[in-house]
Amino acid sequence: VSSTLSIGEFSKLTHLSVKALRHYHEIGLLVPADVDTGSRYRRYDPAQARDAQLIRRLRALDMPIEMVRTVVNATDGEQRSATIAAHLRAMEDELERTRDVVASLRALIEQPLLDIEVERRSLPDVTALVISANVRHDHLERWGGAAFEELGAAVVASRADVAGPGGGVFPTALFEEDRGRVTAYVPVSAVQDTIPRDFARVALADIAGGEVLVATHAGPYTDLDRTYAALGAAANEMGIAADGPIRELYIVGPDVTDDPLRYRTEVCWPVVES
Amino acid sequence: VSSTLSIGEFSKLTHLSVKALRHYHEIGLLVPADVDTGSRYRRYDPAQARDAQLIRRLRALDMPIEMVRTVVNATDGEQRSATIAAHLRAMEDELERTRDVVASLRALIEQPLLDIEVERRSLPDVTALVISANVRHDHLERWGGAAFEELGAAVVASRADVAGPGGGVFPTALFEEDRGRVTAYVPVSAVQDTIPRDFARVALADIAGGEVLVATHAGPYTDLDRTYAALGAAANEMGIAADGPIRELYIVGPDVTDDPLRYRTEVCWPVVES
DNA sequence: TTGCTCCTCACGTCACGTGAGGTGGC
DNA sequence: TTGCTCCTCACGTCACGTGAGGTGGC
């Protein structure tokens, strides 16, 4: 006599907790085959175990519930695979970031002091190809990588003359609120052609210069906070407070070398006498 | 003129958000060097950036706050390293589990159907060396690995005769509430010596047998839910409900082969006619 | 009938993020 | 003075877990 299963029995079949099953019912992700109108007892069909198995695996990979719903409801195998693949890619990105942080933690412990040289400089106004977006601090590196690749392609496509190292503009909100409107740019002295439409995110814009304190950060971007701290402390000691967005200039970056230890980044602290 | 920094300035130096800094103050993890009694404005010393850098890295690795506190407050470098090393080990375990789940997801999608053979059997009562503990479902595999290693060593140390494959006893709470008191055991027919005191977790106990439905699970433990579903559905179709804890017998396991695809596990469903 | 299973709230978790509404400092 | 920075609540987030208190089913 084949029949439905109580929530406890279904839990044993699927290894999903009773609490989780009730939750999935409540949000409509995995609805019991039948619910008794009087007692409200849930009844599951053994065939629902397949969906449960899928859900359990996706959740074990920390896929957000709404994304799980997309996968489970996918009528089309292509769409299902694409959603899963997207999540796996995000996981790999996360893993890479984790590796970077582990290395950065080791570096901090082994060599807690960083000595930097601070220099005062006047940044010129520049015209540049730019990409701007609202970015979270922990997504900065990945976002920047994609942005500069696109900018590089746009430079070629518009036959522009590059007039200096690429840079980033970071409003204080990026640090204070962990997200903000960030701009990546490549200075150009002349743009022969208009920017092709394929580069929808790329624009031509002016980047204002100004007085800054500069320190050169040596090494991976994950360690940038250490140069920020040293530079900020130095500025503070000089009685200078940062005014406006912080600038980074990518003197040696991934476009030049594959070894992050060789990266060189100039961190520019906008200057105001106090 | 060196002086303290406002929370906004300190945020820029450390790349910790203002909200996070306030939170760390509230819980006493990173207390400002000074707090104005009137305005309650926080003031940080630039030297506090070091602690902030450490905290930021540990949190980026998802280390729980209380563990971060242990690291930050550690007076002794040994203790600090040990705490960090423990977290890194936990992260690697997690990574391994993730890899297993990804493989398991692939397997589920590629081959959604599992056909199993169900057999009825009478399990005998056995005397066994056992380890019991309250375990969460997602820690089962790691816990079992350690438990069986310890049981193996205890078998040797007590000069016991092994009388059958190792097994596990799983109460329904393990599935329904995602945690429960689990027992790992190795049946023995004779114990020559007493169990040495080094094996504090190991005891000699009787494991009750009984009537069961058995299906053999082929492959990694991460896929066990699929055999549970097939076996439970088969039992249901026979009008049989599980009564009492489920049993697993590890016929071919990591002690025999390094290839999880060759694992063979008998899943035993306790039987009651309904 | 007993005790086990199931039910529904209401609230907790964890480490902050999101506003609202208001005040202090330069 | 203006506007920017900072403050403190109170509540939200996410995917369930933790009880409390009660009822249904065999």
Side-chain angles (χ1 to χ4, degrees), chain B residues 12-229:
Chain B
K12 272 181 282 187
L13 296 212
T14 60
H15 295 190
L16 290 169
S17 76
V18 167
K19 292 288 184 179
L21 286 172
R22 285 205 267 256
H23 183 61
Y24 296 155
H25 178 198
E26 195 178 328
I27 63 174
L29 177 60
L30 184 61
V31 178
D34 185 51
V35 180
D36 187 284
T37 30
S39 66
R40 313 207 63 175
Y41 275 32
R42 294 165 178 86
R43 284 274 149 189
Y44 291 86
D45 191 294
Q48 296 189 278
R50 201 99 68 220
D51 277 356
Q53 283 159 10
L54 186 56
I55 292 168
R56 198 170 89 91
R57 280 161 180 72
L58 297 177
R59 286 296 305 134
L61 298 176
D62 278 325
M63 182 186 282
I65 287 272
E66 286 313 307
M67 207 167 173
V68 173
R69 196 195 297 274
T70 303
V71 174
V72 173
N73 292 345
T75 47
D76 156 26
E78 290 290 316
Q79 190 200 341
R80 169 174 294 204
S81 308
T83 309
I84 292 173
H87 183 63
L88 293 182
R89 259 197 309 279
M91 285 176 63
E92 286 188 25
D93 286 352
E94 252 299 293
L95 181 59
E96 204 187 312
R97 204 177 70 92
T98 297
R99 281 198 240 276
D100 290 348
V101 174
V102 169
S104 175
L105 176 62
R106 292 233 158 87
L108 180 70
I109 289 170
E110 279 164 24
Q111 200 210 342
L113 290 145
L114 205 69
D115 69 322
I116 55 161
E117 281 170 37
V118 178
E119 169 200 340
R120 185 189 265 261
R121 194 189 299 173
S122 188
L123 293 181
D125 299 345
V126 294
T127 300
L129 294 184
V130 309
I131 294 179
S132 289
N134 205 331
V135 183
R136 273 181 46 192
H137 192 283
D138 54 341
H139 293 159
L140 250 192
E141 193 167 343
R142 197 169 336 292
W143 179 84
F148 279 109
E149 244 180 72
E150 198 172 335
L151 286 171
V155 162
V156 172
S158 62
R159 297 200 295 153
D161 290 337
V162 172
V169 183
F170 306 108
T172 60
L174 178 68
F175 309 108
E176 297 180 8
E177 289 152 48
D178 211 54
R179 62 190 316 146
R181 189 156 191 85
V182 169
T183 299
Y185 69 91
V186 174
V188 291
S189 57
V191 177
Q192 308 284 336
D193 301 342
T194 53
I195 303 162
R197 304 208 167 170
D198 317 5
F199 300 97
R201 300 199 303 164
V202 180
L204 193 66
D206 290 325
I207 305 281
E211 288 292 301
V212 293
L213 287 183
V214 182
T216 297
H217 173 74
Y221 298 132
T222 317
D223 287 328
L224 267 167
D225 60 336
R226 299 178 66 185
T227 295
Y228 272 68

Side-chain angles (χ1 to χ4, degrees), chain A residues 185-267:
Chain A
Y185 69 92
V186 174
V188 290
S189 58
V191 177
Q192 308 281 339
D193 300 342
T194 53
I195 304 163
R197 303 203 169 177
D198 317 4
F199 299 97
R201 299 199 304 163
V202 179
L204 194 65
D206 290 326
I207 304 281
E211 288 291 301
V212 294
L213 287 183
V214 182
T216 297
H217 173 74
Y221 298 131
T222 317
D223 288 327
L224 268 168
D225 60 336
R226 298 179 65 186
T227 294
Y228 273 67
L231 177 55
N236 181 247
E237 225 164 303
M238 297 163 73
I240 288 170
D243 175 54
I246 289 167
R247 196 78 62 80
E248 292 177 5
L249 299 174
Y250 306 106
I251 308 302
V252 178
D255 53 328
V256 176
T257 173
D258 282 340
D259 180 8
L261 293 173
R262 294 189 48 220
Y263 290 176
R264 292 295 178 271
T265 308
E266 290 182 341
V267 180

